[in-house]
Every structure is written in structure tokens, then in C-alpha cells.
Amino acid sequence: MTNHWIDIRNSDYILAMGSNPVKNHPISFKWIMKAIEKGATLISVDPRYTRTSRKAQVYAPLRSGSDIAFLGGMIHYLLENKLYFETYVREYTNASFLIHPDFMLPGDNQGVFSGLKGTETTEGFIDGKYDKATWAYQRDDKGNILKDKTLQDPHCVFQLLKKHFSRYNLEIVSSITGTPPDKLLAVYATYAKSGAPDKSGTVLYAMGWTQHTVGTQNIRAMSIIQLLLGNMGVAGGGVNALRGESNVQGSTDHGLLFHILPGYLKTPKAGQETFAAYNTANTPQSADPLSANWWRNYPKYSASLLREFYGQEVALEEAYRYLPKIDAGVDYSWLTIFDLLYQEKFKGFFAWGQNPACSGANCNKGRQALTKLDWLVNVNLFDNETASFWRGPGMDPKQIKTEVFMLPCAASYEKEGSLSNSGRWMQWRYKAVDPPGKALPDADIVNALFQRIRALYKAKKGVFAEPILKLRWEYGPKDAAGKVTHIDPHRVAKEINGYFLEDKVINGKLYNRGTLVPGFTSLADDGSTSCGNWLYCNSYTQEGNMSARKNKDDPSGIGLYPGWAWSWPMNRRILYNRASVDLDGKPWQPEKPVIEWHLNVWKGDVADGGWPPLASGEKSRYPFITQTEGHGHIFGPGLADGPFPEHYEPLESPMEKNLLSAQFISPVLKRFDRSTTSDVNLRASHDPRYPLVCTTYRVTEHWQTGVMTRWQPWLAELEPGMFVEISSELAAEKGIKTGEIVIVKSARGQLEAVAMVTVRWAPFTIAGKTIHQVGIPYHYGWVTTAERKYAANDKKPQVFTFGDSANIVTPNIGDANTMIPESKVFMVDVVKKA
Amino acid sequence: MEHMTLCIDISKCTACRACQVACKNWNQLKAEQTQNRGTHENPPDLSANTWNRIVFMETRLADGKIDWAFFNDRCRHCEDPRCMEGAESLPEAIVRDDSGAVIFTEKTRELDFDDVASSCPYGIPRKDDVSGRIVKCTLCVDRITHGLKPACVQACSTGSLNFGPRKEMLRFVEARVKALGAEANVYPDPMEDYNTLWILPLNSKHYPLAQAMPIPRRHRMAKTRMPMAVGVAALAAAGLMHFRERGLHDPHRKQGETNR
């Protein structure tokens, strides 16, 4: 979230799209309701009429996978009717920037942007990659970007935007989305009102936007709308991802994914042989003195991170040499890992706090892949489909070689530590009860593992042992032999915040060696500071643990509560808040100011940098400080699949062709269905055997694959099993009655579900044809069912659940930028069980 | 203790069902082996282990719009509890607490279940075969007498469930009904006769209480109990409603266009 949960109450127009907050983020509704009580309008856009739709004043249905068409139509509407916030667009976004004259839009270039190299097929290009040379800004000989502040130059971003989305007229958008034109207009006209300078609009999205081959571009489309309407940086605005897991924000912040290190620093690549080369590759340059270009500080953050990892005894260059490097162009994302495992490219696997046998897309393939392992370690609270994969449906234990180890771990209430919520708040949590039996906090399991591995390296001298032998490990009290006995979460939190490694005077104040760094502006690139994650610098200082604060004062009046927990970065509650004021530092929204320039200082939230307002000239800085050019990206040249969003069909679509262009699906996707293992990566698009669009979603009562909630009898009794929601029209057509068991099948597998016939899901009219959509929940698995065999020492659930994972039918294809699987749209059939 | 009232504002319910779980947690009620029957609604009925539950009802209206209602069903905690009629053989088995809570005591073991069940027009009492008691929502009398809110109210994040001194709640109900517009109303009617009140934003026909007939008001001030025959006659008069409301608890309810 650029904003935070409480801030939803400040919004005037709330768009819930790609999310169902009332059902899946129930507490968020408390804040949505406060906004509605003050006069806000809630808009719900969803394939089916959800509980959020029930609470919304405006509802529009759309076919899953058509969000870019829907939002593209909104961009077209805003531009045609001049409903954008002109000053904001001109001054704070890159709308005025001139783009390379050879840049071509999909409308003029076979449905793709200029620079694509790929193989041409009847579906358009495949296996493509963009050369982004023509996506560049025009610059003068000093490197300054050429701009046209009148927004008239045909090569300026604004005019290109207008031209690109002129193709997204109401008629074509309605044909693609299946949304009736009057409902499109109702949404567009309502949300456009947030473009008034004193009004704000927020978007609440979740996996309904990310789990698509065009997921990143779904969010880009909305980001463009938010910039056009001046909704970034303001109270009640922003682009807000409602995260699906209580600490998933923390996990990404701290570098859980393969391509990033903590603080969104980049994983080194094989070609970056020196620390200097690594820093140069990742430190952007700006010729514009008014651009803060915050990432220019990259070397300070990377050096401080290396100091945290390896300490002062190891030179920075040497420490950099110790870091793992990834080969350029190779991705180690989830789908690829399981593809490699299926091909027997590795032998051991830690399934830590996860249940890939149910959570991975196309999980029949994933379950087969697990059989290729020599060993599997499952760290979890309960037995699950991954730990017991060898005795799951269709498996013959005698034929499976894998040795499985189960390590029981502590649940969140059984250990101390922090978690970071969607609103970027780091919140400290205390231990309530001891973990049962031999269960340990995850960090203590890591500690034990590390001690054993290091001892083995010491004893047996492995290849490239230094990175393990020299790793700093100052995370807890030590025994006489110097071994950390258990992890102290406070020490970890302090290491994340960072220390001064030398005495330092900053702005006339002395900071002693060994004291905690007060904030990331004190971090240095010369090795004199350490910091485990620059974004979290300031979270645990000499003043104490900021995340444990519980002060309920709100001097802002807009719910910032600066003394409650701690928000990254620097306790800033609303990101890009310098865009919430005009050039003189006056809030666009005087009724709910985020910051205000008053007597030469910023009042309110922690401002995005202390520089004076833009009107004060060279001492100022543009508001979007993490963008190299300081401006919000209407044109986004950094992505793999285009600088503007363009509608492409999902991998599996009911359509014969893309109504907008000759390019059927995104041209730059990694296509497992075309790989050597294609027998388990099947695709069935526009195939009469699978005529129904299917999507997946969650219920309030279950969490992720249900490992924690299916064992909880009070939750299991509320949502006891797999269902498929189908419209009453489709049910009548197929002779399916509500409550009867049906089969949902895709090209990759099939599962049993209870038919839930509903009037809340109307068939779509797409390009003149009736298209039905159905939906299934995510959470189930065979381990808690009544039908399976239970061994004598198996725990039996008090309430059995019915059915297996939705991922049996989902496709393994990822977003072009993130590799998040397209679990939100694929093709199935639903038939009566014989 | 002060006279209290629980008020359920249907307009704010999102069917998250924290109230169902909180009730089971506080009262340590067992989960039931349920099945998805083609609806999110579960368990299918009130039971010895389920004292409140959300009833879902969806309809496609003539204009194509969807009407989806969530109704939290539970004991009405009548001011003049009809269930006490079923306890005439052992009057102390069912008591009405000062707080307004109607409480089924341990002595309900000695009552005839059918007498109690058939005297309640709302189909609330259930027999617990394990303890032998007749059971239902207690208004969390063991919490409220210690200054706490009922468990379900404590767990409600949207403000749908409200609890407080009766006078305050009646004022609250009136204000909410006014705010919700012309169609809004209070159930049951008249509200003076009940300690559990529902604020219905739409006409009651939109809820699984369709065409509920008001129960003939009894005269609590006249302390004489009606002869049994009169009581039966009164029940017969309320027969239609009795039937309709019991319809709420039919596990074979049809799903579909009107997903009752």
C-alpha cells in the first residue's frame, strides 16, 4: 500500500477491483464503512456479485482477464472528457516528457510495441523480448529530458497515451469485458469525480489483479488513472495492494524473492564481477538537479548490507564476492523451480511454512515433481499435502524414494517478533504461549541448521567455504564455545536497523561507534555503517523499538497515528506525500492535509524529504523521489511487456481472437506449454472441451491452502468443502442442481466440487456470444478429508473437509514481469458427476 | 443488573461470521460435521452446539439487481418469554434475568423438550443430548453480568452487533431506522417486547422473516398466567408466523432463484 488501512476512511471514491475486501479483508470494511458514512462512494467491479458488491453503491461485472480493457476504457474516458487533474499531470508526472521519435504503439505495430524480437505465429508473436531503445526519453546533449509542458507535442507521453487508449472506446471495451456500456459509464463517471483537486479516490486491489499474465500491467493501468486524477500522495488516495497474508509485506521487504535482497536491492548477476560494477549497474543517474533520484544512494545501502552480513573484518569487495550471483536472464521463480524439479535438476527441498502440493499452480505437476526429490524437509504446524505427498491421491508409496522430514515450528502466537502489514507498518508482537512439544520458532530452526552447516564446512572444508565460515551471526546469546544458543528477535531487529561502526559526527551531533543508526540518511557507502535493510533503518533506534509503540494520539486528524507502531520509510504513513500539495506547498485537499509547508517546515506526516516546495526553485525536489526523474510514471519504460498497458487475452481464453489486435496473448511470456515437459503443461484455449471461464478466490474462514484453518473445527464447519459457483442460467443449461457434486475439469486435471447455483453470477455477452464464468475457492486439500486413509498415529480433523486443491486445474504460466501464476483466469468445463 | 438489549443492524453485517465462531469459543460449543449444501450458510440450523448463525438469502429482483441479505438468527430474549409457558411444570427451569436475558437453567433437564420447543414461536430451543439440558443463546449472561459485552458483539468488526442499556439501545435503534430511510423497520414488532432487536434496512419481506405476523402482545403487568387452553389458542392464532419462522430452520430449504 502507498497509503494504509485507516486511510481508506479519508477516501471519497473507493474502487474495489481485483479484490473482494469485505470478504477477504473483513477488517478493511470497517474503514470503508467510515468513508461511506462520510459520503464516499464504493464501487465494486468483479466477475460475480460479491459481498463487496453488496455493500457498494455502484457495481459492474467484467469477464476475468479483461481488466486492462476495462481500465483502458476509463483512461480513454478521462482524456476524451478532460476530466484529469491538469496541473498535477503536467507538473508531477512524466506526461510532458518526449519519447524517442521511432517509438511505436501497438495500434500501429501489429498489437505490440516497437522493439519486439520474437517468432511470428497465427496467434501473433511468441517467445518475444523487447529491445527498449525506442522506449527512451529524448534528451539534450547534457542528458536533460526534453519536455513539452503544453502537452501538445505528438511525441510527448500525454499525446502517446491519448493515441494509445483512443482504441479503447466504449463499444470495443464492452465487447471484450462483457460489461454493459451503461455500467462501464457508471463506473467511469463516478470514479472520474475523484479528479477534482479536493477529492480523493483509492483503489483496493489484491490477487484478482496480480494473478494474470498481464498482472503488472493491470496495476500499471490503475496507476496511470491515479496519476491522471491526482490521487497519489493524498489522503484517501493511492494504489493499495491488500496483501493476502499478514506478513507478506514484510517478507518481500526483507528479500524473500529470488531477484531481490533486503530493501529491494538487486540480487547480483553473474556479469557484475566487482562491487563497483554491481553498484554502477543499479545506481540510476539523473542530470536534473531538481530530481532527488533517491536510488542514487544505492551504494550506501548495499555497502551497509554487506557490513551486516560479513562485518568489518571482511572487505566490502570480498563480501560482495561471497554473495550468490544469478545468471543473467535466468529466473528462479516458483514455476521455474518446479519445472526444474520435474526435470530432476535438483534433489533436496525445504518446504518452509508453505504447502506447494496445494499452493502451486498446476499442482498435479508439482506433486509429481516432489516424487523426484531425494529428500524433503517440511517445516510447518501441521501435516499437509506436501509432507504427505507420497501417500496422496494417485501415489504409490512403494514407488517413491523421497525421504521426508517434518520439523514442527511455533505459530505466530508462540514466539516474539515483528510483522509488517499491507500498510507498511512494522508491528511488534509478543509471545502468548509456549509452542507445543518440540516445536521451535522458525528462526531457531534456521540457527540450528546454520550451526550444523558451518560445523560441517569447518570440518570438511567444502568448496567456497568462506561465505559460510565468515558469515556474521550476532543474533542471540552465545554459549562458552561462541555458538548462538537461540535467536533473540530484538537483536535481529537491531541488526536490520543498523549500527554505526565508527564514531561519527553528522550535522554537528556525535554518534558513537556501536550505537544504532537513527535513519537511512546516516548510512554510508564506505563501510562505516551496517544495516540489514535500509527501508527499516529508523525502526529500532537508541530511543528504542519503534514498532512496539502504542501511542494512540492523532495530531493530524486524518488517522496517521505516528506514535503507533512504525511505518517504513522513516515512519512516513503516506508515500509520495509531496504530491499532495501544490507548487507552493499548500495541500490540494485543505480538509484532509497530509503535509503542509508552514513557516519554512513541513507540518503533518513525515514529508517525502525536507526540501521546500517546488515553487521555491533549485532547493526543491520533484515529488516522486524514488523515480529517477522525480515524476510519476504515466509512461513506464522499465517493464518487460510495454511502457503502456495493452489488452491481451489470458493464456486460456474463450475468445477466438483478441478484438483489439492480431496479438492474442502477451508476446513476452515464458511458455511452459511449449517446453520439453509440455505433457504436464497443457493449454486449452478457445477449445470446445473447456468452454467455461474459471476463476479462483478465497473465503473469509480459510487461510491460504487451509493448513492452519482446515484443522480448526469452528472454521471448517463454516466452509466445509470445495464448491463451484455457477450461474442459475448455466445450471439450467447443464441440468445441475445446487448442492449436487460435479466435476470441474481443465486441460491439466479435474476435481470434485459441490455446485453452488447462484443468481449472483450472470452470463456475459462477449462479442455477441454468451460466455459463462464459474469460480472455485483455493483452500482445500485431501489431507483433511474423510475419504483418505488415516494411519494409527495420524491426527484426524474434528471436522472433515471435502475436496482437493483448486490448483489442480490452474495453469502454470506467469506474469511477464513477476512470474506470478495466472490463477485468476483459465478455461474449464463443469459436468455432473457420473 | 441494568436492563440490557442487543441490537443487530443488518445493514452493517458482512456475513464474516465472527459472531458464530466467537459464540462457540466463549461457550465452548463443539463444531458440527457440516457439508456444503450449495450455500455458504452453515451449520444448516441452530442446534445444541450452534446458538447463533447467519442465514443467507439471495434474490434477483425484477430490475435485475441482486438482493443479498444476511440475517443473524438467534433467541429474541422476549420480555414475556413464551418458552416459559413450556416450563410451567417447573417454573424455575427457565428464568428471565434482570438484564433481560432469558436463561435456560440446568433444571431444563427435567422439562419436556417438546413443551418448551413448541412454545417458542421462533424455533430457538434445542435439546443437548449429552447434558440433557435444553439450550440456546444466553445473551452471554456470564459475561454481561461482569461488565463485558456478549462474545459475538465483542467479535463484530463492522458495528452490526450492538449491546447496551435498554434505553440507550432503543434510542439507537430509532436513530438508525430513521437514518436508513423510509423502508427501514425494526424486527420483531413491537420492539418494546424484545431484548434482541434487528434493524432491517428494507421491508421485512426481503429477509427470511417474510410476512411474519406479530405475536399477540401479552400483558406482563397482569401477573396471572393464561390458562393452557388460551395459550394454545394464542399459539394457533400465531400459527402462520410460527410456521413461517420455523421455515428458517428447514435444512431442506431450496436454493436457487430465492436462495432461502
Side-chain angles (χ1 to χ4, degrees), chain A residues 352-607:
Chain A
W352 205 306
Q354 53 178 236
N355 185 15
C358 285
S359 65
N362 189 6
C363 69
N364 274 341
K365 174 186 175 183
R367 291 173 184 188
Q368 283 303 319
L370 292 174
T371 68
K372 323 248 174 173
L373 288 167
D374 287 351
W375 56 266
L376 165 67
V377 179
N378 187 58
V379 188
N380 219 311
L381 305 184
F382 298 104
D383 183 22
N384 60 23
E385 288 74 14
T386 302
S388 279
F389 79 91
W390 49 274
R391 53 176 176 161
M395 295 283 177
D396 176 4
K398 289 191 200 94
Q399 304 297 317
I400 295 167
K401 62 177 175 176
T402 318
E403 188 173 4
V404 180
F405 303 88
M406 176 80 191
L407 300 182
C409 58
S412 53
Y413 310 106
E414 296 162 355
K415 62 188 176 188
E416 190 176 6
S418 78
L419 62 76
S420 301
N421 74 2
S422 301
R424 298 168 287 103
W425 292 6
M426 173 182 172
Q427 305 184 89
W428 200 258
R429 296 220 172 160
Y430 301 93
K431 178 169 143 178
V433 289
D434 284 326
K438 291 180 179 175
L440 289 175
D442 298 274
D444 287 333
I445 299 176
V446 174
N447 182 47
L449 194 62
F450 173 69
Q451 305 295 354
R452 295 280 285 274
I453 290 171
R454 175 135 79 181
L456 279 171
Y457 266 104
K458 244 181 207 157
K460 299 192 175 175
K461 311 259 185 270
V463 176
F464 200 29
E466 294 95 331
I468 305 292
L469 296 177
K470 294 193 175 169
L471 193 65
R472 253 181 99 247
W473 199 263
E474 302 297 328
Y475 304 125
K478 292 176 183 170
D479 63 14
K483 228 161 83 173
V484 169
T485 54
H486 67 272
I487 300 293
D488 173 359
H490 290 273
R491 292 206 199 186
V492 177
K494 288 177 188 173
E495 289 290 342
I496 288 170
N497 178 83
Y499 289 96
F500 286 107
L501 305 177
E502 298 169 3
D503 289 351
K504 271 203 175 182
V505 177
I506 300 171
N507 295 333
K509 192 175 171 196
L510 173 71
Y511 293 92
N512 288 315
R513 176 173 188 270
T515 59
L516 292 156
V517 174
F520 51 63
T521 52
S522 300
L523 296 177
D525 59 6
D526 59 0
S528 58
T529 55
S530 74
C531 177
N533 186 336
W534 71 277
L535 280 177
Y536 282 77
C537 196
N538 184 240
S539 63
Y540 206 128
T541 65
Q542 291 300 112
E543 276 79 59
N545 183 356
M546 297 294 132
S547 71
R549 296 178 305 166
K550 294 274 189 270
N551 183 318
K552 291 184 191 168
D553 294 339
D554 178 28
S556 69
I558 57 165
L560 297 178
Y561 298 99
W564 182 271
W566 179 88
S567 175
W568 70 253
M570 297 300 288
N571 207 29
R572 184 171 302 130
R573 304 286 161 147
I574 296 181
L575 294 181
Y576 304 119
N577 55 30
R578 289 173 65 91
S580 72
V581 294
D582 65 14
L583 302 185
D584 295 314
K586 292 260 178 308
W588 300 118
Q589 311 188 335
E591 307 265 293
K592 40 184 173 181
V594 183
I595 58 168
E596 182 167 12
W597 187 249
H598 183 71
L599 302 175
N600 284 330
V601 286
W602 290 107
K603 270 186 8 184
D605 194 9
V606 178

Side-chain angles (χ1 to χ4, degrees), chain A residues 691-693 724-736 757-758 761-763 771-774 829-830:
Chain A
L692 309 175
V693 181
V724 55
E725 275 185 284
I726 68 174
S727 71
S728 34
E729 288 84 353
L730 179 63
E733 211 175 277
K734 288 185 167 279
I736 291 170
V757 178
T758 177
W761 209 325
I771 302 278
H772 293 284
Q773 186 168 343
V774 300
D829 197 12
V830 177

Side-chain angles (χ1 to χ4, degrees), chain B residues 64-84:
Chain B
K65 284 200 178 126
I66 305 294
D67 183 16
W68 198 10
F70 315 122
F71 181 84
N72 185 311
D73 191 31
R74 58 168 74 206
C75 176
R76 273 68 170 165
H77 292 282
C78 308
E79 281 286 274
D80 189 4
R82 302 285 295 272
C83 53
M84 289 171 78

Side-chain angles (χ1 to χ4, degrees), chain B:
Chain B
M1 169 178 191
E2 198 177 355
H3 193 165
M4 308 297 274
T5 289
L6 189 144
C7 168
I8 303 170
D9 184 347
I10 295 290
S11 73
K12 291 187 174 178
C13 179
T14 61
C16 77
R17 300 192 281 188
C19 48
Q20 285 186 231
V21 175
C23 176
K24 296 218 169 191
N25 184 27
W26 178 256
N27 295 299
Q28 288 295 296
L29 302 175
K30 279 207 171 68
E32 302 177 31
Q33 179 61 59
T34 54
Q35 289 176 341
N36 189 311
R37 297 159 293 123
T39 169
H40 293 291
E41 194 179 300
N42 251 326
D45 196 357
L46 295 178
S47 74
N49 285 307
T50 300
W51 296 352
N52 90 73
R53 67 180 200 116
I54 304 285
V55 180
F56 291 63
M57 177 177 154
E58 63 180 53
T59 317
R60 190 182 287 164
L61 303 174
D63 61 359
K65 284 200 178 126
I66 305 294
D67 183 16
W68 198 10
F70 315 122
F71 181 84
N72 185 311
D73 191 31
R74 58 168 74 206
C75 176
R76 273 68 170 165
H77 292 282
C78 308
E79 281 286 274
D80 189 4
R82 302 285 295 272
C83 53
M84 289 171 78
E85 269 171 29
E88 277 176 342
S89 61
L90 190 64
E92 64 270 37
I94 298 180
V95 294
R96 192 187 161 282
D97 186 70
D98 290 348
S99 64
V102 177
I103 300 161
F104 286 9
T105 69
E106 290 186 15
K107 290 187 176 157
T108 54
R109 280 196 192 96
E110 297 162 43
L111 295 177
D112 181 273
F113 173 63
D114 286 340
D115 281 354
V116 179
S118 62
S119 64
C120 171
Y122 308 103
I124 301 299
R126 290 292 185 277
K127 178 89 171 176
D128 181 353
D129 291 332
V130 179
S131 68
R133 291 174 59 169
I134 303 173
V135 292
K136 65 160 190 71
C137 165
T138 67
L139 203 62
C140 278
V141 71
D142 48 350
R143 290 174 60 91
I144 64 175
T145 49
H146 292 85
L148 298 172
K149 291 175 179 173
C152 56
V153 179
Q154 185 72 38
C156 181
S157 67
T158 63
S160 177
L161 297 181
N162 302 273
F163 182 77
R166 180 154 178 86
K167 279 182 191 158
E168 233 172 78
M169 278 293 113
L170 293 179
R171 276 200 301 274
F172 170 78
V173 167
E174 277 171 21
R176 276 301 291 164
V177 166
K178 214 172 170 183
L180 286 166
E183 238 188 288
N185 61 99
V186 188
Y187 169 88
D189 185 42
M191 66 175 178
E192 288 74 18
D193 286 359
Y194 303 91
N195 288 306
T196 311
L197 298 172
W198 283 259
I199 297 167
L200 307 180
L202 298 172
N203 186 298
S204 59
K205 71 173 194 259
H206 291 276
Y207 305 94
L209 306 154
Q211 292 97 45
M213 278 175 56
I215 314 162
R217 185 164 185 181
R218 298 263 311 271
H219 301 284
R220 291 179 55 241
M221 299 310 289
K223 292 196 173 173
T224 50
R225 292 222 166 257
M226 259 190 279
M228 199 59 180
V230 179
V232 171
L235 262 182
L240 179 59
M241 158 150 195
H242 190 173
F243 175 77
R244 289 284 164 85
E245 296 248 331
R246 293 300 286 271
L248 251 181
H249 304 287
D250 174 6
H252 306 295
R253 217 170 22 251
K254 295 276 187 293
Q255 297 293 322
E257 288 290 324
T258 52
N259 195 8
R260 291 251 171 106

Side-chain angles (χ1 to χ4, degrees), chain A residues 66-131:
Chain A
S66 65
D67 301 71
I68 290 173
F70 192 105
L71 297 173
M74 181 159 7
I75 295 171
H76 176 68
Y77 176 87
L78 297 175
L79 296 175
E80 278 301 293
N81 297 292
K82 295 199 167 51
L83 294 169
Y84 49 92
F85 183 174
E86 197 176 344
T87 312
Y88 189 103
V89 170
R90 188 179 62 238
E91 300 296 337
Y92 294 165
T93 77
N94 65 4
S96 64
F97 292 20
L98 303 191
I99 305 299
H100 196 293
D102 295 340
F103 173 70
M104 281 165 79
L105 290 162
D108 303 326
N109 193 43
Q110 296 179 265
V112 299
F113 295 91
S114 50
L116 185 77
K117 291 194 178 66
T119 311
E120 215 171 339
T121 71
T122 51
E123 285 192 344
F125 294 94
I126 55 167
D127 303 333
K129 192 171 165 38
Y130 277 110
D131 171 351

